[in-house]
Amino acid sequence: MSAKQLTLPLDQEQINGLRAGDRVELTGWMYTARDAAHKRMAESLQVGEELPVELVGQTIYYVGPTPAKPGQVIGSAGPTTSSRMDPYTPALLALGLKGMIGKGSRSETVKQAIVQAQAVYFAAIGGAGALIAKTIRAAEMVAYHDLGTEAIYRLEVERFPVIVINDIAGGDLYQQSQSL
């Protein structure tokens, strides 16, 4: 099965066509954010502040890239465990976030929020950070500079490989594979 080619930012038509288990290659711009950035965004929302990036239609990759070596755009860029972002995810989905990339399963609350927001959760291959980094064409730190590798970056990717885990219909690849 060949991978579906999608352009970021995602639009609803693209998301509607995805089902758990689909192989996808993403091309375009996405943001990165890990635990510390998610916590800071939640704190900003709690006090009524605007977020440093517009999330409508955007995709967040749960990664803290390592520093780039000379001649590289970025260092290793493998996914981190997504469940650590679960306490913050429903609020971000409510603000228009449409895609998330990480590794591991999501809580029932997040899966319900994905369906409600008509969004999608992708998994990237854990342990393949150096390989994934080869799909990143540009990287710029855009917010929370004091967090270092956990700052929010904007990445340009080309044919970034992911698999749909949770879709708009409530499909869950992890649950499907357990029932086989």
Side-chain angles (χ1 to χ4, degrees), residues 6-11 14 26-31 57-59 101 122 155 157 160:
L6 298 182
T7 302
L8 297 171
L10 296 170
D11 63 39
Q14 290 174 315
L26 302 170
T27 298
W29 291 92
M30 67 172 77
Y31 290 106
Q58 297 300 322
T59 297
I101 304 167
F122 301 103
L155 303 180
V157 297
F160 185 97

Side-chain angles (χ1 to χ4, degrees), residues 35-112:
D35 314 48
H38 275 78
K39 182 176 186 241
R40 192 164 295 170
M41 286 189 286
E43 290 167 349
S44 293
L45 292 173
Q46 287 174 349
V47 297
E49 295 175 355
E50 288 189 24
L51 296 181
V53 295
E54 175 60 54
L55 292 181
V56 174
Q58 297 300 322
T59 297
I60 292 179
Y61 180 28
Y62 303 145
V63 63
T66 63
K69 293 179 182 172
Q72 293 181 328
V73 171
I74 202 164
S76 183
T80 196
T81 304
S82 301
S83 61
R84 294 199 316 260
M85 273 45 79
D86 282 2
Y88 314 111
T89 299
L92 299 181
L93 288 167
L95 291 174
L97 180 67
K98 285 296 182 181
M100 298 149 290
I101 304 167
K103 68 179 181 182
S105 60
R106 307 307 296 264
S107 69
E108 286 303 316
T109 301
V110 169
K111 289 189 277 187
Q112 290 170 9

Side-chain angles (χ1 to χ4, degrees), residues 101-146:
I101 304 167
K103 68 179 181 182
S105 60
R106 307 307 296 264
S107 69
E108 286 303 316
T109 301
V110 169
K111 289 189 277 187
Q112 290 170 9
I114 288 169
V115 171
Q116 184 177 3
Q118 297 288 280
V120 64
Y121 168 58
F122 301 103
I125 300 168
L131 180 63
I132 289 172
K134 291 180 180 182
T135 69
I136 299 171
R137 302 293 176 240
E140 68 173 306
M141 192 181 298
V142 295
Y144 307 144
H145 293 70
D146 62 303

